[in-house]
Amino acid sequence: MTEPTPEAQYTFRRRGGDALSAFIQVCGNLVKGGMLLLSKREWSGMEHVPLTGPAILVWNHYSDIDPLVVAHYVWNAGRHPRFLLKESILRIPVVGPVVGRTGQIPVKRGSADAADAVRVLADELRMGHVVIMSPEGTVTKEPNHWPMKGKTGVARLALETGAPVIPIVQWGALAIHDRGRSPKFKFGRKPVTVRALPAVDLDRWRTAPTEGSGAVPGAEVPRETLAAVTDRIMESLRDGLAEIRGETAPELFDPRRRRSEDRDREESEPTE
């Protein structure tokens, strides 16, 4: 038997997933132990995370600590969590070298290395791994912590590899760490909800080889297609989060549009 009961999935690590080295097991259990001290788990949907084979896992990023929340969930789902992360993290004393040995995928922002990130991630997927990405690329700027417009890297990776895109929505991590309050970090177990959703349906863009689809093998994917796929992925995260929060979700927040509106407002204000 490779699948424990649904209840056991959320307490112990699922059997039948990734084989792990002793070093990875130690690191994973340290993270898990820390998160068990900080959070009360309200988990569901783990059956949507495949036990084997490639998958792109995406999550709504709204807290500095929520990557650990997601790592904990993916670990218990039976997979080796591999994140796309800032290269600068590897330069942090002590922590950086350890993170580097756990199979995380560094990328330098604003450099040629960023353009190579899709290639590196595609290689990981071809080896049957899962990769975890925040489509927004940073903590959301939406004032009420809803997902914002994403970057197109996830869309490009999904269309070029055919790997399923699995949304993981989470809520509650801000009670543990909030950069906007003092003190930022609070001890004590806080309720944290994590839910994996069915793979995002991207067949419309993957199978249609006609105008605007970007599905022709080896062809450059049109910018409009990448934007549409990215919005579809972000909408899935937003709608899943709305269910968890029990609220009506707003339109996807566009920080570039907000900056433009702020500039226009400043320019229109009379000066003394």
Side-chain angles (χ1 to χ4, degrees):
M1 183 179 70
T2 59
E3 280 287 332
T5 64
E7 293 79 12
Q9 291 181 9
Y10 303 112
T11 303
F12 307 106
R13 193 166 188 269
R14 290 165 81 196
R15 297 187 297 273
D18 293 330
L20 304 171
S21 69
F23 177 77
I24 297 298
Q25 290 185 50
V26 169
C27 292
N29 281 305
L30 285 173
V31 171
K32 178 176 179 175
M35 295 313 300
L36 287 174
L37 292 174
L38 294 172
S39 63
K40 297 178 182 178
R41 294 176 296 175
E42 297 177 9
W43 286 1
S44 60
M46 198 174 281
E47 67 275 10
H48 299 303
V49 180
L51 272 169
T52 60
I56 304 166
L57 310 181
V58 296
W59 93 97
N60 60 301
H61 192 6
Y62 82 104
S63 165
D64 292 319
I65 204 170
D66 61 38
L68 295 181
V69 170
V70 174
H72 184 194
Y73 183 91
V74 174
W75 176 267
N76 269 36
R79 303 310 301 262
H80 178 176
R82 288 180 173 87
F83 284 82
L84 183 68
L85 49 74
K86 299 176 185 177
E87 187 270 344
S88 59
I89 292 176
L90 301 186
R91 296 197 296 269
I92 300 174
V94 182
V95 173
V98 172
V99 171
R101 289 186 58 194
T102 62
Q104 307 312 305
I105 307 161
V107 60
K108 293 180 181 178
R109 286 187 176 177
S111 71
D113 288 346
D116 289 339
V118 170
R119 175 184 57 78
V120 174
L121 292 167
D123 290 343
E124 293 285 341
L125 292 169
R126 277 191 286 271
M127 289 187 284
H129 298 162
V130 298
V131 297
I132 308 175
M133 303 174 68
S134 162
E136 298 150 295
T138 186
V139 173
T140 182
K141 303 299 189 295
E142 205 281 334
N144 293 312
H145 312 298
W146 291 97
M148 61 182 180
K149 286 273 188 179
K151 301 182 184 298
T152 58
V154 174
R156 185 180 298 278
L157 185 66
L159 294 179
E160 290 187 4
T161 66
V165 178
I166 312 295
I168 297 178
V169 291
Q170 53 86 30
W171 187 245
L174 212 61
I176 303 172
H177 185 280
D178 184 352
R179 65 170 68 171
R181 73 171 178 232
S182 182
K184 296 181 177 64
F185 190 88
K186 287 189 176 182
F187 288 98
R189 300 183 69 206
K190 308 296 191 299
V192 174
T193 301
V194 187
R195 179 181 300 168
L197 306 175
V200 182
D201 184 1
L202 302 179
D203 286 349
R204 169 186 169 189
W205 296 281
R206 280 177 168 154
T207 60
T210 53
E211 181 181 355
S213 71
V216 180
E220 179 65 24
V221 182
R223 181 75 183 178
E224 295 77 9
T225 298
L226 293 174
V229 171
T230 302
D231 283 351
R232 178 68 190 88
I233 293 169
M234 295 310 303
E235 288 164 358
S236 179
L237 284 169
R238 178 200 63 190
D239 295 346
L241 182 61
E243 290 186 13
I244 287 177
R245 292 174 59 167
E247 301 174 29
T248 301
E251 293 184 5
L252 288 176
F253 178 74
D254 188 343
R256 291 170 298 183
R257 180 177 177 182
R258 172 64 65 87
R259 287 194 296 267
S260 177
E261 291 173 348
D262 289 345
R263 283 196 301 269
D264 292 343
R265 185 162 50 249
E266 290 175 0
E267 292 172 357
S268 65
E269 291 177 353
T271 56
E272 295 182 0

